[in-house]
Amino acid sequence: MYRILICSLLAIVLFITGCKKNETGNSNAKLIFKFKFDSTQVRLNNIGQPSTIPAGNAAQSGVMNKMSAHYIELAPNALTLLGKGAVLYRAAETTTGGSNAIDYEKAPQAGNNEVFYEVPINQVAIGEYEWIRISLAYQNGDVKIRVDTSINGVSINQDMNATLASFIGFNTYIKNFTVKAQSVTVNGNRTQGFWGFETNVSVLGTTIPVVQSGQAPAGATTVVNPLFNTSPIPAGSCVVTAAFANGKLKITGNETKDIVVECSFSTNKSVEWKDLNPNGKWEPLKQETLVDMGVRGLIPTIK
């Protein structure tokens, strides 16, 4: 009888333990952040309002290839200050170049409809989150340029495809980076707005790669933050802020399936330059410098 009682109690304990495990969710469930790039999405300014292109400038949407983020945070409400929400991700940083900077060499990148980051849901604080903040670091995309010049005595006047790499994080340490096929050596820190472009020019049957780099003015990069009054971001950062489009993200601790957050970034005329030769075409070889390359908004959707 005693042995039967012990076995019965053991069975009850195992049953209760099994029930508790189910109640706390599946430990394999993940919170997944997937990037999407949309050139038709509304074009916003720094405070989250629809934006137009200033007189004297021109812009194009381009085709985004890859993007990298430096920081991901979930915020319960509009009063949550930066860093006081659930910080889920922070990229590697270094002081090799002097001041603290994002380590470009260690920064992951994701393309359109690709997963950028995932974390076990049991590592996310239980709660309800209305806002998401993603600090962007780097982007690489294809653009159109106008080349009107002379190379080796040969006149060239045509539209061309080019690739633009831009560093939009607060500060980035770069050893070297590849725009498309050509490598650019830096070996130092570069602040927000550093860029490089690459194109190929054909001269008398010979393809000549053309690579150029530059720096946008400080503070010129658009960083959309509708919470500028209640939850400001540091100057020179690229913390893009947005409310979840289909209601709050709720983490209960009982999740048994993955939760996917689609982060749709607006690339609607996000590449902007000084249109010195007012034809609406970017002519970097004629000193038409980039003034803005920040994404033009974020729509996060819970899938």
Side-chain angles (χ1 to χ4, degrees):
M1 176 66 73
Y2 179 79
R3 293 179 63 184
I4 293 174
L5 179 60
I6 292 296
C7 290
S8 298
L9 289 173
L10 181 60
I12 292 171
V13 169
L14 290 173
F15 175 78
I16 293 173
T17 302
C19 289
K20 283 187 176 181
K21 185 175 181 180
N22 289 335
E23 288 174 359
T24 57
N26 178 1
S27 61
N28 294 321
K30 296 177 181 178
L31 180 59
I32 300 170
F33 297 90
K34 181 180 289 188
F35 283 179
K36 178 182 177 182
F37 312 130
D38 189 347
S39 62
T40 65
Q41 197 167 300
V42 62
R43 184 180 196 266
L44 302 177
N45 62 15
N46 284 316
I47 61 174
Q49 297 299 311
S51 174
T52 57
I53 301 166
N57 289 1
Q60 61 176 291
S61 299
V63 178
M64 191 69 69
N65 296 321
K66 296 284 185 179
M67 186 178 286
S68 179
H70 165 244
Y71 179 91
I72 299 176
E73 178 183 5
L74 302 176
N77 55 62
L79 299 177
T80 306
L81 296 178
L82 181 65
K84 299 301 182 180
V87 179
L88 304 182
Y89 170 79
R90 192 180 189 101
E93 298 174 355
T94 181
T95 56
T96 302
S99 57
N100 189 49
I102 301 165
D103 192 340
Y104 169 71
E105 191 175 53
K106 297 180 180 178
Q109 300 177 23
N112 190 42
N113 292 320
E114 290 183 353
V115 172
F116 173 75
Y117 180 70
E118 57 185 34
V119 59
I121 292 179
N122 60 15
Q123 294 182 18
V124 181
I126 292 173
E128 296 186 359
Y129 301 97
E130 185 178 0
W131 298 82
I132 186 172
R133 311 190 99 153
I134 301 179
S135 179
L136 299 176
Y138 170 81
Q139 54 190 8
N140 180 292
D142 295 328
V143 295
K144 299 285 187 182
I145 66 170
R146 181 74 177 176
V147 175
D148 181 6
T149 188
S150 178
I151 298 179
N152 296 334
V154 178
S155 178
I156 300 171
N157 188 355
Q158 58 183 294
D159 295 333
M160 294 183 174
N161 296 320
T163 299
L164 174 67
S166 52
F167 295 82
I168 53 179
F170 71 101
N171 196 24
T172 307
Y173 174 71
I174 311 164
K175 289 182 180 178
N176 53 69
F177 68 99
T178 300
V179 183
K180 184 174 184 179
Q182 303 299 316
S183 179
V184 178
T185 299
V186 178
N187 285 325
N189 286 355
R190 293 295 182 269
T191 56
Q192 183 184 69
F194 177 67
W195 56 269
F197 92 90
E198 175 187 337
T199 191
N200 290 318
V201 177
S202 182
V203 180
L204 299 176
T206 301
T207 299
I208 301 174
V210 177
V211 180
Q212 190 177 67
S213 62
Q215 178 75 47
T221 301
T222 295
V223 184
V224 179
N225 178 25
L227 304 182
F228 64 98
N229 273 329
T230 61
S231 187
I233 60 175
S237 70
C238 196
V239 185
V240 181
T241 305
F244 286 101
N246 51 346
K248 295 180 180 180
L249 173 63
K250 299 178 181 179
I251 303 297
T252 65
N254 298 323
E255 287 77 9
T256 58
K257 296 181 180 179
D258 294 343
I259 299 175
V260 176
V261 176
E262 179 187 81
C263 305
S264 181
F265 296 98
S266 173
T267 59
N268 188 343
K269 291 184 169 51
S270 61
V271 179
E272 187 175 328
W273 64 92
K274 285 290 183 184
D275 197 20
L276 303 179
N277 180 21
N279 57 4
K281 297 181 179 182
W282 184 29
E283 299 186 70
L285 300 184
K286 287 193 171 183
Q287 287 71 54
E288 290 193 344
T289 57
L290 286 175
V291 294
D292 196 348
M293 60 212 79
V295 299
R296 288 298 181 150
L298 165 63
I299 299 178
T301 305
I302 303 163
K303 298 292 187 177

